[in-house]
Amino acid sequence: MAASGRSAGPEVIWARPERSARGPRPSHTRADIAAAAVRIADAEGLDAVSMRRVAAEIGCGTMSLYNYVPRKEDLYELMFDAAVAEYDLSEPPTGDWRADTLALARQTRALMHRHPWLPRLLAPEYGFSPHSLRYLEYALWALDPLDVGGGTKMELLSMLSAVVAAYVTHELSAAERARSSPFAPGQEQAARQEHLVRQLAGGAYPRLAAAFAAPSEVPDGEALFERAVERVLAGFAPRG
């Protein structure tokens, strides 16, 4: 045992009781702590979240906060679980695994826009919190009609999460660049397009020029997102 009385080995915060069977009721709950950390991260980004800031937010001392949350990684896990709790899983799957999984992907995208820090916490360490397990159970339920093994279904969900996170990160980065640009909306993009046209006209990039010259539909962000998700799902459909 460590000098503090805690086990020297790794400890999962969900395996620890939130309150002792003895003694007074704690002044704060894990939900209070998670909500405070989420508020800070939503407003200022994940790097602004510290034990000191969260303690001040809920009105306790920093050292007192460690009695509730032993490590900053545990704090991140509480935040992740609080965000995942926002999934609406109230309706049973329809039986159309593609449509149901696409609906979950839409929820994931919206969740990441509400909490832009969330993609940074996509790690296996935070994937087995109570609400994460609830989400995974539901997602696997939605995949019941898909005739592949459980390991393949977990691979699908992992890949889908990564694709959605990458897509949202790109959207958030583009929005941030647009906000910080000193030019009028669209002005910088127009200048870059003019430069590209000049480069392609020189003949040094014939394949690229042909690709840009070919007629193509330019989908909006919603349609492009759904197309990306559907292509991931198509890769897991049994070949018949």
Side-chain angles (χ1 to χ4, degrees):
M1 298 288 288
S4 64
R6 294 180 183 150
S7 171
E11 189 177 39
V12 178
I13 190 168
W14 310 111
R16 299 180 65 214
E18 184 161 3
R19 58 168 298 188
S20 171
R22 299 179 180 180
R25 180 184 296 274
S27 301
H28 308 285
T29 67
R30 286 176 181 166
D32 297 333
I33 295 166
V38 167
R39 283 195 300 272
I40 295 169
D42 286 350
E44 303 176 45
L46 188 62
D47 291 338
V49 176
S50 67
M51 301 296 273
R52 184 184 299 275
R53 283 289 308 277
V54 174
E57 183 78 10
I58 65 174
C60 78
T62 303
M63 296 310 296
S64 296
L65 183 61
Y66 282 100
N67 292 325
Y68 298 92
V69 186
R71 304 180 304 156
K72 191 172 183 181
E73 290 77 9
D74 295 325
L75 180 60
Y76 286 160
E77 193 158 357
L78 293 179
M79 294 171 64
F80 187 88
D81 190 65
V84 175
E86 297 177 19
Y87 277 101
D88 180 3
L89 308 178
S90 58
E91 296 295 327
T94 66
D96 182 337
W97 70 270
R98 288 198 190 198
D100 291 336
T101 308
L102 175 58
L104 285 175
R106 292 191 191 109
Q107 285 204 59
T108 302
R109 181 183 177 212
L111 189 64
M112 290 180 177
H113 273 282
R114 289 197 299 274
H115 306 297
W117 47 269
L118 192 56
R120 287 181 57 184
L121 296 187
L122 287 182
E125 291 82 1
Y126 307 132
F128 299 101
S129 65
H131 286 103
S132 296
L133 292 175
R134 172 174 165 263
Y135 165 81
L136 287 171
E137 178 66 21
Y138 184 93
L140 289 171
W141 184 15
L143 291 174
D144 271 353
L146 178 59
D147 187 19
V148 298
T152 301
K153 291 177 181 180
M154 291 297 292
E155 181 185 353
L156 185 159
L157 295 176
S158 178
M159 185 177 296
L160 188 61
S161 178
V163 167
V164 175
Y167 193 92
V168 171
T169 299
H170 175 76
E171 289 183 308
L172 295 171
S173 295
E176 177 59 31
R177 288 195 302 272
R179 284 193 298 269
S180 61
S181 175
F183 307 105
Q187 187 177 2
E188 189 170 2
Q189 183 62 23
R192 293 184 180 279
Q193 288 176 343
E194 290 175 8
H195 172 76
L196 177 61
V197 168
R198 290 195 298 271
Q199 293 299 308
L200 297 183
Y205 311 103
R207 295 172 184 81
L208 193 57
F212 275 100
S216 64
E217 172 195 2
V218 181
D220 61 22
E222 299 295 325
L224 191 59
F225 172 77
E226 301 209 354
R227 181 182 296 181
V229 170
E230 287 168 352
R231 285 176 171 167
V232 171
L233 300 183
F236 286 86
R239 290 182 171 86

